[in-house]
Amino acid sequence: MADFNLVVLYVNDAQASSTFYQTLLGCPVAQSSPKFVVLPLGNGAMLGLWQRDAVEPPSASPAGSSEISWAVANAEAVRTTYDTWLTRGARIAQPPTAMPFGHTFVALDPDGHRLRVLATAA
């Protein structure tokens, strides 16, 4: 079986989204072309940002119909990440909240993709 290593988001402007994610996550670009950018997420996983008008085959799915998640240690780390992302320009769809599956918040990128930070319940 092949190893998982890449999540690709279709974005309106790959370079603008790259700037957003570099600022939000504090990570450098690993690979870049005018309409496709890759950033490291950690543990070998990468985030691809593919400009929607260059996607082959074309996709009609809207942003925000799925989400990507980051795991953190506990509710305090959820709050700390929330505060950091807020100061770095993330729009918030859900502030830090206790839910049955753990403590979480949801941010949105410039295209409306959902970004969840989660500390799972014990």
Side-chain angles (χ1 to χ4, degrees):
M1 176 190 231
D3 291 332
F4 169 79
N5 73 337
L6 179 66
V7 171
V8 177
L9 299 178
Y10 303 147
V11 298
N12 292 326
D13 183 327
Q15 298 305 312
S17 290
S18 171
T19 298
F20 171 81
Y21 280 100
Q22 286 177 74
T23 300
L24 186 73
L25 303 174
C27 63
V29 169
Q31 175 187 343
S32 181
S33 66
K35 295 193 176 192
F36 189 78
V37 178
V38 178
L39 298 103
L41 292 178
N43 297 323
M46 306 293 269
L47 175 63
L49 305 168
W50 198 352
Q51 193 158 307
R52 188 174 293 280
D53 64 6
V55 172
E56 291 294 335
S59 173
S61 62
S65 57
S66 60
E67 61 186 40
I68 55 177
S69 298
W70 285 262
V72 295
N74 52 41
E76 181 179 329
V78 168
R79 174 56 78 173
T80 299
T81 305
Y82 169 81
D83 291 341
T84 299
W85 284 19
L86 201 56
T87 64
R88 292 180 178 176
R91 293 180 297 148
I92 302 301
Q94 178 186 43
T97 305
M99 299 189 73
F101 53 83
H103 283 82
T104 187
F105 78 90
V106 176
L108 302 173
D109 77 1
D111 292 283
H113 295 288
R114 296 167 58 106
L115 313 172
R116 182 177 297 277
V117 174
L118 170 66
T120 57

